[in-house]
Amino acid sequence: MAGSVSNIILGSIYNEWELDESDRKMIDELGLEGAESLCGLYVALGQVFAHNPQLAALWPTTPNKALQNLSPLELIRRDGMDGLKRICNILDQTL
């Protein structure tokens, strides 16, 4: 049951962020830790951009100065779990 709930949540995140199949696969390969971090990232974005949910949905694919002009998704592609942790740390500092 818990696996199906997490798949539904991740599926919703993937759809909202408009991730393609290769990005979905990349995130899936990060395992449980990656899924948990991605859910935490999603929640944090909802808090940071509470005034504008569209910005929260665009943020993962938008180049960011704090990430040397990479998008968060590009950083995850390049650095895997380390990139995802870095992104989560940056957002944690804004909360």
Side-chain angles (χ1 to χ4, degrees):
M1 179 70 173
S4 62
V5 171
S6 62
N7 288 339
I8 291 169
I9 293 168
L10 286 176
S12 295
I13 293 170
Y14 294 163
N15 289 333
E16 187 170 323
W17 291 354
E18 299 180 2
L19 300 184
D20 64 22
E21 194 61 37
S22 65
D23 288 329
R24 292 172 186 224
K25 184 178 181 205
M26 175 208 42
I27 298 292
D28 289 345
E29 289 174 354
L30 296 177
L32 181 59
E33 183 181 13
E36 289 172 346
S37 294
L38 192 72
C39 289
L41 176 62
Y42 180 80
V43 170
L45 287 172
Q47 293 172 344
V48 170
F49 297 108
H51 64 285
N52 191 337
Q54 285 181 310
L55 286 178
L58 292 172
W59 191 86
T61 57
T62 302
N64 189 306
K65 288 181 184 179
L67 305 173
Q68 291 76 43
N69 290 321
L70 294 174
S71 73
L73 193 55
E74 290 170 324
L75 185 65
I76 297 168
R77 281 186 206 120
R78 188 185 78 187
D79 297 343
M81 195 64 216
D82 289 339
L84 182 53
K85 287 178 181 180
R86 181 172 169 209
I87 293 162
C88 290
N89 287 335
I90 288 170
L91 276 178
D92 285 346
Q93 293 172 11
T94 65
L95 294 176

